[in-house]
Amino acid sequence: MTEQFRDVSPEAPELQPIISGLFGEYEARYGDYFSRDAEVELTEWYLPPQGLFIVLERDGEIIATGAYKPFDEQTAEVKRIWTHPELRQQGLAQRVMRELESRAQYAGYRHLYLTTGFRQPEAVKLYLSLDYQPQFDIYRDREEYSVAPFDGRLRFTKELALARLSKSA
């Protein structure tokens, strides 16, 4: 069993059924609360050097995905975290997140930002386990974040460790 990360374009044909499935999962949880068309996405945002879209493959099959795009000059926004439904709860999303963190730091970002929906407790658990700082009250009923003045998005931030620079004498 061989597993490896591979950089892809968000327009890669093999990714399209996965992205469609991901949006289908959102629709199943939220109905039309989050409309796919509400968010404008440009392919170039997810291409190096400012962005990245990766897949984790096992024996040539995509089993998990993740991406980041620029949020601001110092911050990358993590997007499209997905794990094959039959392979969840096995640490794959955590591996994808750690790879994205490493690659974002290498690309020069100092912070990460992400949002998840108010009906995704497994995502909240994942991000908290990876030391992301919630920008909301984690003890509040998350359904409350679906009504004004909130927009349903639970925000997290993380500061990336500064890479240690070795100096020659």
Side-chain angles (χ1 to χ4, degrees):
M1 185 166 59
T2 305
E3 290 184 355
Q4 66 180 17
F5 284 103
R6 181 169 60 93
D7 297 9
V8 296
S9 164
E11 294 179 351
E14 67 270 27
L15 213 51
Q16 299 323 302
I18 292 168
I19 299 297
S20 294
L22 180 60
F23 282 105
E25 287 184 46
Y26 294 157
E27 189 174 333
R29 286 188 198 221
Y30 299 105
D32 63 1
Y33 186 90
F34 294 111
S35 166
R36 182 177 183 175
D37 300 327
E39 194 173 351
V40 173
E41 294 281 305
L42 299 178
T43 298
E44 57 262 28
W45 293 345
Y46 294 100
L47 299 176
Q50 76 276 2
L52 180 68
F53 205 115
I54 58 172
V55 296
L56 178 58
E57 294 178 320
R58 178 180 292 158
D59 298 327
E61 179 188 352
I62 297 173
I63 59 172
T65 70
Y68 67 75
K69 66 180 184 177
F71 183 74
D72 64 33
E73 202 172 287
Q74 298 289 314
T75 309
E77 181 177 4
V78 174
K79 304 286 284 183
R80 308 296 176 255
I81 302 302
W82 171 86
T83 302
H84 190 288
E86 295 172 15
L87 301 174
R88 292 185 177 161
Q89 302 298 314
Q90 296 180 23
L92 297 174
Q94 185 176 63
R95 286 182 57 202
V96 169
M97 289 296 296
R98 292 199 186 284
E99 180 74 9
L100 290 172
E101 289 174 7
S102 174
R103 300 279 297 272
Q105 184 174 357
Y106 183 76
Y109 289 109
R110 297 186 62 196
H111 308 276
L112 291 176
Y113 168 82
L114 63 85
T115 64
T116 192
F118 60 95
R119 291 185 183 146
Q120 290 174 264
E122 67 284 357
V124 170
K125 183 179 174 186
L126 170 68
Y127 303 135
L128 290 173
S129 77
L130 293 169
D131 298 323
Y132 282 76
Q133 300 304 304
Q135 306 301 301
F136 61 95
D137 182 350
I138 63 171
Y139 301 107
R140 187 177 194 157
D141 177 356
R142 299 208 179 109
E143 288 290 324
E144 292 180 31
Y145 290 104
S146 69
V147 296
F150 304 106
D151 64 3
R153 290 175 176 85
L154 304 179
R155 292 161 172 80
F156 289 86
T157 59
K158 183 173 185 174
E159 187 166 342
L160 296 172
L162 294 175
R164 298 176 192 269
L165 300 175
S166 61
K167 296 184 179 180
S168 317

